Amino acid sequence: MREFATAFYKSKAWQRCRAGYIASVGGLCEDCLAKGLYTPGEIVHHMVELSPENISNPAITMGWSNLRLLCRDCHGKRHGNQRRYKVDATGRVTVRG
């Protein structure tokens, strides 16, 4: 999680929005469901990526038209299969920003 978004993702407002959105789509990955697959969703993805410039815009942060419930595999595909962690030359595991 990026530092600028930490407070947002921990907020009660986001937790309620996230739970409501998951319930509204039946808890299944929307990308998989579009392919006829029934996979539990785990990550509520923001279609327009959150940034320091838009983190205060509720239409982007909590607008359901900007959200999509995804499984981990589909979320990775949306982000180019980027891993959340990387190992540097010294063998230390670091979090991607």
Side-chain angles (χ1 to χ4, degrees):
M1 172 180 336
R2 294 182 176 168
E3 188 174 326
F4 73 86
T6 301
F8 166 75
Y9 282 120
K10 291 183 178 183
S11 73
K12 295 283 185 200
W14 169 245
Q15 295 303 317
R16 284 191 301 269
C17 176
R18 181 183 182 281
Y21 185 77
I22 290 169
S24 79
V25 297
L28 297 174
C29 173
E30 293 179 82
D31 285 3
C32 287
L33 196 57
K35 299 175 203 167
L37 303 171
Y38 297 91
T39 309
E42 296 180 56
I43 299 166
V44 176
H45 172 74
H46 287 89
M47 302 297 286
V48 173
E49 186 174 345
L50 299 185
S51 69
E53 294 76 32
N54 67 23
I55 193 73
S56 297
N57 182 341
I60 292 178
T61 57
M62 293 198 244
W64 284 13
S65 63
N66 189 42
L67 302 178
R68 191 149 176 97
L69 181 60
L70 303 173
C71 65
R72 290 196 182 276
D73 287 343
C74 287
H75 190 252
K77 289 175 190 170
R78 292 273 180 149
H79 287 280
N81 288 324
Q82 295 175 353
R83 294 187 181 174
R84 298 184 104 185
Y85 301 93
K86 66 178 181 176
V87 179
D88 68 15
T90 64
R92 290 186 328 198
V93 176
T94 58
V95 178
R96 290 186 187 267

